[in-house]
């Protein structure tokens, strides 16, 4: 038996996280799986979180894990299918875009706006605080 009752250990390293899967035995002889997540923080002590699953509960735990993995896989496939359908619909509507440019033509209503005190220049809207007063005819 290893240090602190460890029977087996394996590690998975990701970008900024590490996962440790430790099979341990406690003082009373119960075997359990300890999963530890260690997350690196910028210059600070790493965050560590852990869970323990005892041997008699591992099958139920794995069933829940398998259901979750199945859902994730089905959801991923459904999202990919929806993205393909959306892309196909867009291509059907606008074409493949091979050398084509789509221009939006402004309607007459958009070009003839009333003077409402708002100066529109591109993406920025300038609100004019006071309208220039029209000179009175003498």
């Amino acid at each position: 038996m290893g240090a602190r009752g460890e029977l087996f250990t394996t590690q998975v390293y990701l970008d900024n996280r590490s996962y440790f899967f430790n099979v341990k035995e406690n003082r009373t002889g119960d075997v359990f799986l300890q999963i530890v997540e260690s997350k690196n923080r910028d210059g600070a002590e790493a965050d560590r979180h852990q869970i323990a699953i005892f041997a008699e509960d591992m099958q139920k735990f794995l069933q829940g894990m398998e259901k979750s993995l199945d859902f994730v896989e089905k959801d991923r496939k459904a999202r990919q299918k929806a993205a393909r359908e959306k892309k196909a619909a867009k291509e059907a509507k606008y074409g493949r875009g091979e050398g084509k440019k789509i221009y939006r033509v402004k309607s007459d209503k958009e070009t003839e706006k009333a003077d409402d005190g708002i100066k529109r220049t591109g993406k920025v809207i300038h609100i004019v605080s006071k309208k220039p007063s029209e000179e009175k005819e003498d």
Side-chain angles (χ1 to χ4, degrees), residues 54-79:
F54 285 91
E56 60 269 8
D57 299 330
M58 283 187 193
Q59 288 301 320
K60 289 181 182 179
F61 177 81
L62 288 176
Q63 288 173 357
M65 180 71 84
E66 286 177 9
K67 286 180 183 179
S68 299
L69 292 174
D70 289 342
F71 172 80
V72 168
E73 185 65 21
K74 286 178 185 176
D75 184 59
R76 183 185 64 81
K77 287 180 181 179
R79 287 176 189 258

Side-chain angles (χ1 to χ4, degrees), residues 23-80:
V23 178
K24 292 185 171 188
E25 182 178 9
N26 64 13
R27 292 182 195 145
T28 61
D30 296 329
V31 177
F32 63 96
L33 171 67
Q34 179 188 45
I35 302 173
V36 180
E37 175 194 36
S38 178
K39 180 179 178 184
N40 294 333
R41 295 190 308 177
D42 297 330
E45 211 173 287
D47 282 340
R48 292 178 56 90
H49 303 281
Q50 63 186 15
I51 62 169
I53 300 107
F54 285 91
E56 60 269 8
D57 299 330
M58 283 187 193
Q59 288 301 320
K60 289 181 182 179
F61 177 81
L62 288 176
Q63 288 173 357
M65 180 71 84
E66 286 177 9
K67 286 180 183 179
S68 299
L69 292 174
D70 289 342
F71 172 80
V72 168
E73 185 65 21
K74 286 178 185 176
D75 184 59
R76 183 185 64 81
K77 287 180 181 179
R79 287 176 189 258
Q80 285 179 341

